[in-house]
Amino acid sequence: QVQLVESGGGQVQAGESLRLSCVVSGFIFSQIHMTWYRQPPGKQRDWVSTIWASGLTQYTDSLKGRFIVSRDNAKSTAYLQMNNLEPEDTAVYYCRAFSPQTGNTHWGQGTQVTVSS
């Protein structure tokens, strides 16, 4: 059974950092692509970053340089390191796994990040 479990969210002040984790089961993790999204209060869900199975990373232009996506295949975990957080980063953050082998996509449950000024 495929399962994505997110953790690492919380409340921080502007300028501080958080690292989100997404632990994946039910996939051969090294073969899947991982993506992070976020949904601010009252707004649509937006793409944040992707790390492909190859290790290639992509970021939305507005976040490049502050956020870093990574993966640890031995732990079947994807990470989103968020640095110099701003109040506008406040959102529910979601991870998504895609398997090119099966064509299946699954979402994590979301984790709340709140940044105060």
Side-chain angles (χ1 to χ4, degrees):
Q1 180 176 328
V2 175
Q3 189 173 36
L4 279 65
V5 180
E6 298 182 45
S7 63
Q11 298 180 354
V12 297
Q13 293 187 334
E16 296 181 343
S17 300
L18 285 172
R19 188 179 72 163
L20 307 182
S21 299
C22 180
V23 180
V24 179
S25 60
F27 286 115
I28 301 176
F29 184 77
S30 62
Q31 298 178 358
I32 66 173
H33 312 309
M34 297 295 300
T35 297
W36 290 94
Y37 295 81
R38 69 182 185 181
Q39 187 168 13
K43 297 183 179 181
Q44 299 298 314
R45 186 175 299 183
D46 293 326
W47 174 71
V48 172
S49 181
T50 295
I51 183 165
W52 301 86
S54 66
L56 177 70
T57 58
Q58 295 174 293
Y59 302 89
T60 189
D61 287 343
S62 63
L63 297 175
K64 189 174 183 179
R66 290 198 298 120
F67 287 16
I68 302 170
V69 65
S70 62
R71 64 192 296 154
D72 186 339
N73 288 345
K75 297 181 178 180
S76 296
T77 302
Y79 303 96
L80 184 67
Q81 178 69 42
M82 305 183 296
N83 299 317
N84 194 25
L85 285 162
E86 303 171 353
E88 293 185 354
D89 295 322
T90 295
V92 178
Y93 285 72
Y94 298 90
C95 61
R96 187 184 73 178
F98 172 72
S99 171
Q101 284 71 39
T102 66
N104 291 337
T105 297
H106 287 84
W107 290 84
Q109 83 281 7
T111 184
Q112 177 71 48
V113 172
T114 302
V115 185
S116 62
S117 60

